[in-house]
Amino acid sequence: MRAIIQRVSEARVSVGGQVVGAIDRGLLVLLGIEHADAAEDGEWLAGKIAGLRIFSDADGKMNADLAEVGGRVLVVSQFTLHASYKKGNRPSFIRAARPEQATELYERFVGGLAFKTNTKIETGIFGADMQVQLINDGPVTIFMDSKSRE
């Protein structure tokens, strides 16, 4: 699994002009699932994101996690995170998981993240054409890959 994690002062996702998920201060997580992913990938990623210390503490240092600042999370599925552009300029998405597999792993990830953060997770609609709006705070943007675990 791959995730782009952005620290935001606000974010929202819309489908067909209707807002389906929105948060104020917190994290926007764009989540890509590939066919080689399993539940363990989501568990590892959820744990890392829940404990990520990228918010300012009382001294203004990036040392606080989501719980310490009372932040929220918005998760949006994004198969394009597994794009391959090795041959030519048109990306291939062959590594991205098929919806039958990806839907289950996405829902398990969201549930695991809700458990680890002890908060309701806002989401987009899996597989829908979504429009995402955000104000990146910092900007702070982190990339995580459950296969490399860096």
Side-chain angles (χ1 to χ4, degrees):
M1 278 182 200
R2 291 182 174 169
I4 302 289
I5 301 107
Q6 295 180 303
R7 184 178 76 183
V8 298
S9 54
E10 65 181 67
R12 69 184 42 81
V13 60
S14 301
V15 175
Q18 298 293 322
V19 175
V20 295
I23 61 169
D24 288 322
R25 184 178 195 194
L27 300 174
L28 169 64
V29 178
L30 303 174
L31 183 70
I33 301 168
E34 71 173 316
H35 59 80
D37 287 331
E40 296 77 34
D41 293 289
E43 291 169 15
W44 177 84
L45 200 56
K48 280 298 204 184
I49 292 170
L52 198 57
R53 296 174 15 184
I54 60 171
F55 294 93
S56 297
D57 64 11
D59 296 324
K61 296 184 180 180
M62 267 205 295
N63 199 30
D65 65 20
L66 199 63
E68 291 172 293
V69 299
R72 304 279 312 280
V73 182
L74 172 60
V75 178
V76 176
S77 62
Q78 184 147 9
F79 74 93
T80 59
L81 288 177
H82 288 285
S84 173
Y85 44 87
K86 203 181 227 183
K87 296 179 181 179
N89 293 320
R90 183 173 181 263
S92 166
F93 304 107
I94 197 158
R95 288 182 50 198
R98 303 284 311 150
E100 308 79 50
Q101 175 194 13
T103 303
E104 178 184 343
L105 291 174
Y106 173 82
E107 290 172 358
R108 288 185 70 158
F109 169 80
V110 170
L113 190 56
F115 177 77
K116 291 179 186 303
T117 61
N118 196 31
T119 187
K120 179 184 181 291
I121 305 297
E122 294 288 318
T123 64
I125 297 176
F126 187 91
D129 180 19
M130 296 176 275
Q131 291 71 50
V132 180
Q133 296 176 300
L134 68 133
I135 297 177
N136 191 321
D137 180 20
V140 175
T141 302
I142 307 283
F143 174 75
M144 288 187 186
D145 188 319
S146 66
K147 300 300 185 220
S148 64
R149 299 194 179 198
E150 295 178 358

